Amino acid sequence: MRTQVGIIGSGPAGLLLSQLLDLQGIESVVLERRSQAYVLSRVRAGVLEEGTVAMLRQAQAGERMDREGLVHEGLDIAIGDRRHRIDLKKHTGKTLMFYGQTELTKDLMDAREALNAQIVYEAKNVSIEDLDSKTPKLRYEKNDKKYEVVCDFIAGCDGFHGISRRSIPETVLKTHEQVYPFSWLGILSETRPVSDEVIYVNNWHGFALCSMRSMTRSRYYIQCAFDEDLEKWTDDRFWDALRTRLPRDAAELLEVGPSIEKSIAPLRSFVAEPIQHGRLFLAGDAAHIVPPTGAKGLNLAASDVHYLSNALVTFYMDKDMGLLESYSHKCLKRVWQAERFSWWLTSILHRFPDQSSFNRSIQVAELDHLMESDTAQAAFAENYVGLPF
Ligand code: APR
Ligand code: PHB
């Protein structure tokens, strides 16, 4: 088989890239290790920056998001019972769209299907060959048969555990990593959210986050041990722990109900550098990971895809490699800004094991400054709504 761009992974990064390229007349083949149903069963964050929203509309996949998504203009930060609203719109003129990544993935799949996309699900043992030539190849197996796709370029959109990043020689690839000593336990429930807007809580018992997918579906998270056993968390235990951590006024309004999803996610900061080698370009979680504090993961995947799709379109239109050559540098500049913000927000909101009184007082000072200074709120808002790309 021959294609222009071979894409590994059908998460948001791979699907969005494939769709944007198709709309510009560039052909691609997507190889996905899992089944379509599995990809659609993953529950992840759901906070979209305006740049991401614009790209989904450009990809002709924004109709349901525009109908069902919730537009938020602000959020709350709390420490103990003290709670303060940050007006994101006032400071930036921008808003955020709350729309689950699962729904967004489904919309992108439908949009791809409408254009008769070539997506191979359950493609096993995907490997990359001849990366340094002008015709790199993707090999894979399906139903015990072997296949080869000859490409002009390969996009590694296969997430943190994929094979793309590992195809860049160790002598070239530098990685930067920080693993945090806690995880997030998340719950999805058919209950009314405690608040119209998100609440990020620093509590002595640990971090908590109140979010939502709709006005009847809540998404809550609490900080838990790094190696927490999900089996030990009944719904009742989760609700009790959450209630203890919320500011009193929110705790009183907390509506509880059976969970429809419950999962644990570790927190990690990770950046690979460079994210291009030969004709391979990494995008999304394959290239970098942020802790979920700040909800930047999906938005970074979208900004990578923005730079990569533009660079590929320019190449095919003008035979100009310039934007492809500057891809890694451009993406990583923005990625490090989001890494800094997510790391900072994580560090001021969580309870760290063996936290010293000095460190705790610094957290309180950071949050006091954020709650009391308009300038600090403007800087927070600028980062939270997403830096321009
Ligand atoms: N071969 C083919 N596909 C693979 C392989 C492989 N060897 N390894 C992984 N994949 C697939 C995964 O099954 C997954 O469907 O690649 C896809 C990667 O998708 P995501 O992990 O969703 O990553 P990405 O598209 O970069 O999305 C960005 O934003 O909210 C964050 O982390 C969250 O997923 C989210 C991300
Ligand atoms: C979510 O709604 O799932 C969510 C919101 C904000 C975050 C992370 C996740 O920082």
Side-chain angles (χ1 to χ4, degrees):
M1 205 192 313
R2 181 77 177 87
T3 195
Q4 290 175 300
V5 183
I7 299 176
I8 314 177
S10 78
L15 291 170
L16 185 56
L17 177 65
S18 159
Q19 178 72 356
L20 290 173
L21 292 178
D22 199 347
L23 291 170
Q24 297 291 326
I26 299 168
E27 206 185 74
S28 64
V29 173
V30 179
L31 302 182
E32 167 59 50
R33 182 171 58 149
R34 305 283 194 171
S35 68
Q36 185 171 19
Y38 182 92
V39 174
L40 280 176
S41 70
R42 292 189 292 230
V43 176
R44 300 232 171 109
V47 186
L48 313 182
E49 297 170 3
E50 284 191 0
T52 307
V53 167
M55 286 181 72
L56 289 162
R57 290 180 186 143
Q58 185 192 338
Q60 300 177 2
E63 209 178 287
R64 194 161 64 103
M65 169 191 74
D66 280 326
R67 221 175 33 244
E68 296 177 11
L70 301 174
V71 175
H72 284 205
E73 297 185 355
L75 57 78
D76 281 8
I77 297 277
I79 178 161
D81 286 331
R82 235 161 15 107
R83 182 170 162 187
H84 185 86
R85 179 170 191 267
I86 297 181
D87 190 331
L88 300 170
K89 182 135 188 238
K90 180 187 90 178
H91 287 294
T92 63
K94 292 184 182 159
T95 58
L96 290 158
M97 174 76 82
F98 277 65
Y99 189 65
Q101 186 173 318
T102 315
E103 304 310 314
L104 181 153
T105 305
K106 175 154 195 337
D107 296 347
L108 282 168
M109 282 178 178
D110 290 347
R112 289 312 293 126
E113 215 164 279
L115 297 183
N116 294 318
Q118 301 187 75
I119 304 180
V120 183
Y121 291 100
E122 298 177 77
K124 303 295 172 202
N125 296 323
V126 175
S127 66
I128 302 175
E129 314 289 334
D130 300 335
L131 204 50
D132 293 320
S133 79
K134 284 192 170 172
T135 51
K137 293 159 193 77
L138 288 176
R139 298 221 170 101
Y140 69 97
E141 291 164 26
K142 176 146 181 163
N143 299 332
D144 298 325
K145 280 202 194 130
K146 293 187 182 204
Y147 297 89
E148 185 179 87
V149 190
V150 181
C151 317
D152 295 337
F153 298 99
I154 292 174
C157 303
D158 49 351
F160 184 66
H161 300 287
I163 52 113
S164 305
R165 192 178 59 253
R166 281 179 269 136
S167 307
I168 300 181
E170 274 177 27
T171 47
V172 176
L173 191 74
K174 189 168 167 43
T175 59
H176 312 266
E177 183 168 31
Q178 169 145 342
V179 178
Y180 299 86
F182 36 73
S183 297
W184 278 17
L185 171 60
I187 216 172
L188 194 63
S189 65
E190 297 290 358
T191 52
R192 191 165 37 86
V194 285
S195 168
D196 292 351
E197 294 178 338
V198 165
I199 317 175
Y200 286 93
V201 186
N202 175 319
N203 184 279
W204 188 238
H205 294 286
F207 169 81
L209 169 60
C210 306
S211 185
M212 68 199 71
R213 292 290 172 272
S214 72
M215 290 322 286
T216 55
R217 183 174 281 201
S218 300
R219 179 74 170 153
Y220 295 108
Y221 300 92
I222 55 171
Q223 169 185 353
C224 62
F226 176 73
D227 54 356
E228 192 72 62
D229 180 0
L230 186 60
E231 296 297 311
K232 295 198 173 132
W233 283 86
T234 60
D235 288 356
D236 284 346
R237 184 175 171 207
F238 181 91
W239 294 121
D240 286 345
L242 178 65
R243 200 179 287 106
T244 310
R245 296 180 193 195
L246 294 186
R248 199 170 302 129
D249 57 351
E252 280 166 7
L253 294 175
L254 181 66
E255 189 177 286
V256 305
S259 63
I260 45 178
E261 197 266 353
K262 207 189 292 163
S263 54
I264 292 179
L267 271 68
R268 180 196 305 271
S269 297
F270 175 89
V271 182
E273 220 166 351
I275 58 173
Q276 173 257 328
H277 181 72
R279 293 209 158 204
L280 169 67
F281 296 80
L282 305 180
D285 278 14
H288 40 73
I289 297 285
V290 282
T293 336
K296 290 280 155 259
L298 174 60
N299 294 296
L300 281 182
S303 62
D304 289 354
V305 167
H306 166 82
Y307 292 124
L308 186 53
S309 57
N310 276 353
L312 288 166
V313 169
T314 303
F315 171 80
Y316 283 110
M317 272 175 41
D318 307 334
K319 290 284 164 275
D320 179 355
M321 288 287 285
L323 290 182
L324 286 168
E325 280 160 7
S326 60
Y327 170 74
S328 181
H329 176 74
K330 250 197 205 146
C331 280
L332 288 177
K333 195 155 181 276
R334 187 172 189 279
V335 164
W336 276 113
Q337 290 298 321
E339 290 284 346
R340 184 202 68 77
F341 181 65
S342 310
W343 160 81
W344 169 76
L345 201 54
T346 302
S347 71
I348 66 166
L349 288 175
H350 291 76
R351 168 106 194 245
F352 285 73
D354 305 322
Q355 191 164 0
S356 66
S357 61
F358 178 84
N359 190 281
R360 177 68 187 163
S361 299
I362 290 289
Q363 284 190 332
V364 174
E366 285 269 15
L367 288 163
D368 278 345
H369 183 229
L370 186 56
M371 289 181 180
E372 290 161 19
S373 156
D374 216 41
T375 316
Q377 286 170 33
F380 174 95
E382 182 185 30
N383 284 282
Y384 196 89
V385 301
L387 295 173
F389 55 82

